[in-house]
Amino acid sequence: MKVGVFICHCGNNIAGTVDVARVAEETRKIPGVAYAINYMYTCSEPGQDQIKDAIKKYDLDRIVVAACSPRMHELTFRRTVEKAGLNRYYFEMANIREHCSWIGEDRELNTNKAMEAVRAAVAKVMQDKPLYSSSFAVNKRVLVIGGGVAGMQAALDCADGGHEVVLVEKSPSVGGMMARLDKTFPTIDCSICILGPKMVDVAQHDLIKLYAYSEVEEVKGYVGNYQIKIRKKATYVDWTKCTGCGECMEKCPSKDAYDSFNFGVAPTKAINIPFPQAIPKKAKIDPTYCRQFTKGKCGVCAKICPTKAINYEMEDEIVTEEVGAIVVASGYGLLDIEKMGEYGGGRYPDVITAIQYERLLNASGPTSGHIVRPSDHEEPKTVVFVSCCGSRDKSIGVPYCSNFCCMYIAKQAILTKDHMPDSQSYVFYMDIRSPGKGYDEFTRRAQEEYGTKYIRGRVSRIFPKGKKMVVRGADTLLGTTVEIEADLVVLANAVTAAPGAPQLAEKLHISYDTNAFYVESHPKLRPVETNTSGVFLAGCAQGPKDIPASVGQGSAAAAKVLSMLSKDFLENDPAIAQVNQNACVGCLKCVKTCPFQAIVEEELRGGKVVAKVIQTVCAGCGVCTSTCPCGAIQLQHFTDNQLLAEVNALCLS
Amino acid sequence: MPELAGKELRIVGFLCNWCSYGGADTAGVGRFKQPTDLRIIRVPCSGRIDPLFVVKALINGADGVLVSGCHPRDCHYSDGNYYARRRLEMLKQFLPFMGIDGKRFHYTWVSASEGQRWQKVVTDFTRQVHGIGPLHEKKEAAK
């Protein structure tokens, strides 16, 4: 056995705190190591060529690269050794950057640690066996979760690429948050005018199957072959019959249902169509307010409906769809303003959230675009905007910036002046964050052309005084406290992960961060991929972002899906479990513990019962291997012998 | 040459690829400084860890063993970490019967985004093991 070891300087990233030449020198003393060298950038083209050349020149049959994390470059180097004629599993990485040079300050200790990491990797590589992938067929349908602008973009791009798309939307209509906006920054485009046609495209596309008012119940399978159970929630209206005429909504006697589309700005009917441009434009009953459900009698909508679509007996329905790839665009939520007690949100009717204000500005909103105070329906003359309501505040668990509030506040201030030329807007801000094309010009316009007064400082308290709301805060530029008597206060409350985001992540086996936003594969280089192959991210589910970024990610996720689905077959990872039938005693404990039902019982000729792994289903976790009492089932590339070789290399030396 | 005499103890870590190994990477990328005693072995899932690996490490020369996986409910393989939790808790109870201080073994959960948490886990555990001291008579000391 001839092991070649390549120790990377990574510029100064490793060589700065690790004596790489000494690591190479010590490595040459390890039995089995035929060649060891240190090099500036092993991942560069000359660096990879050096590996290939050395394999030929010194007849090397196993390769170790001591460099960055294998999560970064394992695949890169596996391809390199494969090109030089070795099996790609005759390769190991020793992580001497993330786990060594970047975290330890003592050069001597770091160097020693790096040498041991190399020793362990050499011990492992000497136990490695060649493994070969097998290929499996790919289902070319796509599931998109979330029908906001990011999800719709992904769905349309995938469908235009010729693939059937299943689009699942939690609420009764697609459109998401963007459908609720009046205008969009920095162009003051009418939001629904640019979104509406996209929504219609989604509804009319032959290849898009829309499940509105539905949720993903269960995800089974693996990349290329997922089985998805979708819960179609009961609407109590047969959507195949409903024409969206709206007569039921007009006649419904229950008038104070909570309107989630309008964020409670005004009540709605117990049977309703969320908004005029809704897709699909179908009615649904809210059973918590419907008199037929609360009092047991009413039936007005059933009597009035011209197509007899009302069905009070309707129940949730579970449907199953098979897909090959999944795009998660499940959007975001908003911080409950009652968490900021000093602002009085929830207690004072004239302290509202920015999205509620957006609905007041919107011509198709509950006030037909007239700005009125919720308390007395009078036009407010002084409007105060409070930015960073919760954002960048560790004490309430939102340490991050919500990304787009600075911009929409500027937009809302401009629109306020447009609606009411004699009004005056004030903005309390921490920093104005407007790093986008045309964004900074836009916030300046709000100040210079529209006379919005920007006050740099935080608001400490908001309290009522007669009909006014007093906003007390600091002006840190002048070094004084300020009090403004406002008619209406608008809070830019923080963007949070969507409600239920962790639960959805757990169904999909993708990870989420401490704020429950989904984690991408690499923060720079793989921004729309997850660590679960076949599952991609788009939009605010991954973190707060504005419309252009969400649309961009929707298209990016679709591009990733399309490139994956351009192949008819995918190769599996051969690092999966394998049964040694001679050693297996047929206890079948592995069958019970396998999280993927990938192991089945097999009867051999002669009647002996053994375990058998279904290759395409096995995900390679290795739970079976540590369950097996006789070591008969071994996870390839992480066998007992391979891991113990590492343990011994670290402990016995 | 193993740990540097006097400065370090020998601590072996078993980390699942998807969460904790990533968390340790995140800590590295963020330059969150840590003690250097820990040597990391990567496994696909904490459910892959046979308690025997831990015992082997301790018997063969390690002074401490750290295991870290995905947070419960967030396992890349659905429920591998639940199996790990049962096995490792059993092991923890069992170690004193073999004459090994239970404090030499620790298992925990660190996600791929929790670089700072990883720094704290490593620092605390290293301090804990240093508090107990070496498990084995050192051959080097005789030299």
Side-chain angles (χ1 to χ4, degrees):
Chain A
M1 207 172 291
K2 286 173 138 184
V3 182
V5 183
F6 298 82
I7 296 131
C8 183
H9 296 207
C10 195
N12 249 344
N13 286 311
I14 294 169
T17 55
V18 171
D19 185 346
V20 280
R22 202 163 136 238
V23 174
E25 194 187 306
E26 289 293 324
T27 301
R28 286 185 203 112
K29 297 178 190 162
I30 303 173
V33 173
Y35 181 77
I37 190 106
N38 49 306
Y39 187 74
M40 195 66 174
Y41 286 106
T42 311
C43 62
S44 67
E45 204 185 350
Q48 294 187 42
D49 287 344
Q50 189 190 36
I51 297 175
K52 286 186 246 173
D53 295 344
I55 289 173
K56 297 207 175 88
K57 193 167 168 196
Y58 301 98
D59 203 17
L60 304 175
D61 53 7
R62 312 280 160 110
I63 298 298
V64 169
V65 171
C68 52
S69 171
R71 284 165 55 103
M72 181 85 206
H73 273 322
E74 187 169 58
L75 198 58
T76 314
F77 291 120
R78 274 188 182 162
R79 288 197 197 112
T80 311
V81 301
E82 197 167 54
K83 275 182 201 151
L86 294 186
N87 185 276
R88 55 163 60 196
Y89 286 86
Y90 277 151
F91 170 77
E92 290 295 330
M93 274 190 96
N95 184 343
I96 61 166
R97 193 178 73 169
E98 282 86 345
H99 294 184
C100 183
S101 72
W102 274 349
I103 55 160
E105 282 161 329
D106 186 313
R107 191 174 169 83
E108 201 189 347
L109 292 176
N110 279 353
T111 306
N112 180 56
K113 186 174 182 178
M115 290 187 308
E116 287 203 29
V118 171
R119 183 185 297 278
V122 170
K124 166 91 197 290
V125 87
M126 288 169 78
Q127 295 288 330
D128 280 349
K129 298 273 178 303
L131 300 174
Y132 303 92
S133 302
S134 51
S135 58
F136 58 92
V138 182
N139 183 323
K140 300 216 171 183
R141 301 175 84 225
V142 185
L143 170 72
V144 177
I145 304 172
V149 69
M152 287 197 295
Q153 186 66 44
L156 286 168
D157 286 355
C158 290
D160 285 345
H163 299 288
E164 272 181 58
V165 176
V166 177
L167 177 59
V168 177
E169 165 58 42
K170 185 156 71 168
S171 63
S173 168
V174 294
M177 283 293 190
M178 188 177 168
R180 286 145 159 140
L181 307 182
D182 180 35
K183 301 287 190 299
T184 57
F185 60 78
T187 47
I188 324 212
D189 272 328
C190 160
S191 186
I192 198 71
C193 310
I194 53 177
L195 187 71
K198 237 180 224 312
M199 292 163 63
V200 175
D201 285 351
V202 165
Q204 294 182 346
H205 205 297
D206 290 337
L207 292 177
I208 297 179
K209 191 170 178 184
L210 172 63
Y211 287 100
Y213 205 51
S214 302
E215 290 188 53
V216 171
E217 181 84 1
E218 187 188 274
V219 178
K220 274 204 166 154
Y222 50 93
V223 56
N225 292 280
Y226 286 107
Q227 296 89 42
I228 316 289
K229 279 197 179 138
I230 297 164
R231 175 179 293 270
K232 289 170 76 178
K233 295 180 279 188
T235 56
Y236 307 104
V237 177
D238 185 342
W239 280 8
T240 56
K241 292 182 186 161
C242 177
T243 59
C245 69
E247 214 146 309
C248 52
M249 196 170 166
E250 215 161 282
K251 296 285 175 356
C252 175
S254 174
K255 291 172 186 162
D256 26 66
Y258 180 78
D259 187 352
S260 56
F261 184 79
N262 283 318
F263 285 90
V265 172
T268 184
K269 300 287 185 73
I271 184 164
N272 63 69
I273 297 168
F275 58 107
Q277 300 88 342
I279 300 273
K281 197 175 179 187
K282 307 282 180 189
K284 96 167 214 303
I285 292 175
D286 184 344
T288 47
Y289 296 96
C290 173
R291 289 184 188 178
Q292 186 69 33
F293 288 89
T294 55
K295 301 213 170 86
K297 58 175 182 187
C298 176
V300 170
C301 49
K303 272 175 225 139
I304 209 89
C305 178
T307 57
K308 302 280 169 251
I310 311 295
N311 173 12
Y312 298 120
E313 309 295 316
M314 191 182 266
E315 284 178 2
D316 289 4
E317 190 191 336
I318 305 282
V319 290
T320 306
E321 290 284 355
E322 300 203 333
V323 299
I326 301 173
V327 177
V328 192
S330 46
Y332 65 98
L334 287 163
L335 184 77
D336 181 3
I337 50 171
E338 290 186 30
K339 280 195 175 169
M340 312 282 290
E342 67 275 26
Y343 292 166
R347 267 179 298 147
Y348 308 129
D350 292 336
V351 178
I352 62 173
T353 64
I355 191 78
Q356 288 176 323
Y357 192 61
E358 198 77 38
R359 294 309 298 155
L360 291 178
L361 289 167
N362 196 306
S364 63
T367 58
S368 308
H370 298 296
I371 305 175
V372 293
R373 285 153 52 103
S375 62
D376 54 10
H377 289 88
E378 276 178 27
E379 206 170 69
K381 292 295 165 214
T382 312
V383 182
V384 173
F385 296 91
V386 182
S387 69
C388 296
C389 176
S391 305
R392 305 170 69 193
D393 188 346
K394 269 190 201 166
S395 68
I396 55 165
V398 185
Y400 53 88
C401 167
S402 292
N403 184 302
F404 47 75
C405 320
C406 285
M407 291 306 297
Y408 74 60
I409 286 174
K411 175 197 73 182
Q412 290 187 340
I414 288 175
L415 294 175
T416 305
K417 196 77 174 175
D418 275 345
H419 279 65
M420 306 176 296
D422 57 339
S423 67
Q424 175 64 53
S425 297
Y426 296 85
V427 176
F428 280 90
Y429 71 99
M430 276 208 249
D431 302 289
I432 302 175
R433 298 191 163 175
S434 49
K437 191 174 169 183
Y439 284 16
D440 207 53
E441 296 92 315
F442 186 74
T443 54
R444 291 190 74 112
R445 253 180 86 197
Q447 298 168 58
E448 289 161 7
E449 259 178 63
Y450 289 84
T452 310
K453 295 211 165 99
Y454 271 67
I455 303 164
R456 188 179 193 277
R458 306 287 295 143
V459 171
S460 62
R461 219 184 132 202
I462 298 169
F463 54 94
K465 183 179 169 190
K467 288 178 80 179
K468 298 270 188 179
M469 297 302 301
V470 180
V471 182
R472 180 184 290 162
D475 185 330
T476 55
L477 294 180
L478 290 176
T480 60
T481 55
V482 278
E483 274 191 11
I484 294 163
E485 293 193 356
D487 297 312
L488 183 67
V489 181
V490 179
L491 304 177
N493 50 335
V495 171
T496 62
Q503 288 75 14
L504 180 61
E506 284 149 20
K507 284 175 196 162
L508 293 161
H509 306 308
I510 58 175
S511 33
Y512 52 94
D513 64 20
T514 40
N515 304 310
F517 289 112
Y518 298 154
V519 178
E520 64 281 11
S521 223
H522 189 281
K524 281 120 199 157
L525 301 178
R526 301 173 77 191
V528 296
E529 291 152 275
T530 66
N531 278 330
T532 302
S533 53
V535 181
F536 304 90
L537 302 174
C540 289
Q542 180 263 345
K545 56 181 64 67
D546 58 10
I547 294 166
S550 297
V551 173
Q553 276 203 334
S555 283
K560 286 285 167 193
V561 169
L562 292 175
S563 77
M564 192 187 105
L565 297 185
S566 66
K567 301 175 194 112
D568 293 326
F569 292 91
L570 287 180
E571 291 206 328
N572 77 335
D573 183 350
I576 54 173
Q578 219 174 62
V579 179
N580 174 355
Q581 292 186 337
N582 293 327
C584 178
V585 293
C587 70
L588 302 178
K589 284 196 173 99
C590 53
V591 176
K592 292 192 197 95
T593 54
C594 176
F596 301 92
Q597 291 85 45
I599 309 174
V600 290
E601 192 179 329
E602 187 187 24
E603 201 178 313
L604 299 179
R605 252 181 287 163
K608 186 188 174 187
V609 172
V610 294
K612 182 186 164 194
V613 177
I614 310 167
Q615 281 203 355
T616 47
V617 183
C618 177
C621 64
V623 167
C624 55
T625 310
S626 34
T627 302
C628 182
C630 39
I633 189 164
Q634 289 288 332
L635 175 64
Q636 298 306 298
H637 210 57
F638 293 97
T639 62
D640 286 341
N641 286 343
Q642 287 166 344
L643 291 172
L644 284 172
E646 282 188 85
V647 170
N648 289 340
L650 291 173
C651 296
L652 287 176
S653 58
Chain B
M1 184 180 59
E3 70 284 291
L4 293 176
K7 286 190 183 167
E8 274 187 349
L9 289 175
R10 208 183 314 220
I11 301 175
V12 175
F14 294 94
L15 272 62
C16 82
N17 178 50
W18 303 101
C19 293
S20 294
Y21 198 93
D25 280 357
T26 306
V29 174
R31 313 296 199 275
F32 296 133
K33 300 294 177 215
Q34 298 153 39
T36 49
D37 311 43
L38 182 71
R39 310 283 184 260
I40 292 170
I41 295 176
R42 183 167 70 130
V43 290
C45 176
S46 53
R48 169 66 190 96
I49 297 162
D50 195 318
L52 269 174
F53 296 164
V54 179
V55 176
K56 271 265 198 229
L58 288 168
I59 289 174
N60 283 355
D63 300 303
V65 174
L66 176 64
V67 169
S68 188
C70 302
H71 286 280
R73 288 165 62 232
D74 194 21
C75 176
H76 183 79
Y77 301 104
S78 316
D79 36 38
N81 54 1
Y82 291 131
Y83 290 106
R85 186 164 67 179
R86 284 198 167 196
R87 289 168 185 158
L88 298 171
E89 185 52 41
M90 278 291 284
L91 174 69
K92 203 171 174 59
Q93 307 291 322
F94 188 63
L95 282 178
F97 292 94
M98 300 195 301
I100 295 172
D101 191 334
K103 287 203 200 80
R104 293 189 184 278
F105 169 62
H106 181 56
Y107 68 92
T108 188
W109 323 112
V110 174
S111 83
S113 64
E114 292 175 324
Q116 261 174 308
R117 182 174 147 71
W118 177 250
Q119 179 190 36
K120 189 173 163 10
V121 164
V122 174
T123 311
D124 289 353
F125 184 64
T126 308
R127 195 171 296 150
Q128 182 173 314
V129 175
H130 275 266
I132 316 166
L135 175 61
H136 303 271
E137 288 295 324
K138 294 295 171 193
K139 284 175 208 146
E140 292 94 74
K143 277 180 201 165

